[in-house]
């Protein structure tokens, strides 16, 4: 029901139904029979999720309603069955949308995975969680996280410090993900021992990395030449995960994004998976979904 029946009020607003709960009976009414049936499916699935000991919040309800509207065979419980790892606060890390579940399945079964989609879809966070779980299980010996140091309107030269101090702000989002999944002291020990390495893309040239999970974040800011250079760093027993949003390219005018053309070059090769996220996979604040939709509509109108 939620605190003060807030979940019921949310369902009523999103589905245009009337819900009353007395004792152990929930009554649903609406102007159309199909709407009542959709609400019934929603309640049955939410009840099954709760029976398994999981919490249900507003984001899960919104996603379930949207998915049931698109597909009658949608199963919310399937998203709760596969937990990657636990955060430092004991919270399970799992897929929250079907797009994220497909992403996790792709990382389990492919040596090279591309995750392309808007901000807030968990591309980087889930890749880091997958890498940490695999490191703990002994599948990998190292985790290498890479980002191109491309300015989003700012100039690196005006930042104080040496090169590493200049690029550290661009790598900070990767630190944030690790601090959520590892105790800070353990993370720093891994950094000191080079078990976890976070580096700018330019530092990857000439290296071959074996038995490592290598994650390239913000890949839309690589050129085709940089993308080729990075992908050929993969060694034996390694896995490469590439994430990016092709709608947020910060390369100079006239420079082509390596992420935009990579599927044309590598599509169809066994062992390589491409996962594309949409606005329905955004798991941040509800307002972020609206922002993503608005920008998609704007870009489509410009192209039209």
């Amino acid at each position: 029901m939620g605190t003060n029946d807030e979940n019921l009020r949310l369902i009523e607003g999103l589905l245009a139904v009337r819900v009353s709960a007395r004792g152990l009976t929930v009554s649903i009414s609406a102007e159309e029979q199909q709407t009542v049936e959709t609400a019934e499916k929603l309640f049955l699935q939410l009840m099954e999720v709760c029976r398994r000991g999981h919490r249900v919040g507003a984001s899960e309800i919104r996603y379930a309603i949207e998915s049931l509207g698109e597909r009658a065979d949608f199963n919310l419980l399937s998203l709760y069955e596969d937990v990657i790892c636990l955060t430092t606060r004991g919270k399970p890390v799992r897929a929250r949308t079907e797009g994220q579940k497909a992403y996790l399945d792709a990382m389990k079964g492919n040596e090279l995975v591309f995750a392309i989609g808007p901000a807030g879809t968990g591309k980087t966070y889930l890749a880091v969680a997958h890498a940490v779980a695999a490191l703990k299980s002994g599948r990998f010996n190292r985790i290498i996280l890479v980002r191109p140091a491309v300015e989003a309107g700012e100039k690196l030269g005006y930042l104080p410090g040496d090169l590493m101090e200049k690029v550290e702000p661009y790598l900070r989002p990767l630190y944030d993900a690790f601090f959520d999944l590892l105790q800070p002291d353990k993370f720093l020990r891994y950094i000191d021992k080079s078990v976890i390495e976070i580096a700018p893309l330019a530092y990857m040239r000439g290296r071959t990395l074996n038995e490592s999970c290598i994650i390239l974040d913000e890949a839309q800011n690589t050129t085709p030449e940089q993308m080729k250079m990075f992908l050929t760093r993969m060694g034996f027993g390694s896995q490469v995960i590439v994430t990016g949003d092709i709608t947020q390219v910060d390369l100079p005018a006239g420079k082509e994004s390596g992420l935009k053309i990579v599927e044309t070059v590598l599509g169809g090769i066994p062992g390589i998976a491409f996962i594309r996220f949409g606005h329905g996979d955004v798991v941040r604040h509800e307002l972020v979904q609206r922002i993503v939709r608005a920008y998609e509509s704007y870009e489509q109108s410009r192209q039209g």
Side-chain angles (χ1 to χ4, degrees), residues 48-80:
E48 189 60 32
V49 168
C50 291
R51 285 194 186 101
R52 302 293 180 94
H54 304 294
R55 291 180 61 86
V56 172
S59 60
E60 286 85 0
I61 290 173
R62 286 193 182 94
Y63 180 72
I65 289 174
E66 185 176 331
S67 299
L68 283 170
E70 296 173 354
R71 282 199 355 263
D73 62 345
F74 170 75
N75 181 12
L76 181 64
L77 184 62
S78 65
L79 301 179
Y80 288 81

Side-chain angles (χ1 to χ4, degrees), residues 107-108 110-111 127-128 130-144 190 195 209-215 234-241:
M107 288 190 287
K108 290 178 183 178
N110 296 274
E111 294 175 304
V128 171
H130 165 79
V132 169
L135 180 69
K136 290 180 177 180
S137 69
R139 178 182 172 187
F140 300 124
N141 294 330
R142 302 176 66 198
I143 300 174
I144 315 293
Y190 279 157
V195 174
L209 302 168
N210 297 318
E211 297 180 349
S212 302
C213 185
I214 312 155
I215 301 171
M234 175 189 270
F236 293 106
S238 289
Q239 181 181 36
V240 170
I241 303 167

Side-chain angles (χ1 to χ4, degrees), residues 196-214:
I196 294 176
E197 180 181 347
I198 303 178
L201 179 61
Y203 283 28
M204 299 300 292
R205 191 174 297 277
R207 302 181 65 180
T208 300
L209 302 168
N210 297 318
E211 297 180 349
S212 302
C213 185
I214 312 155

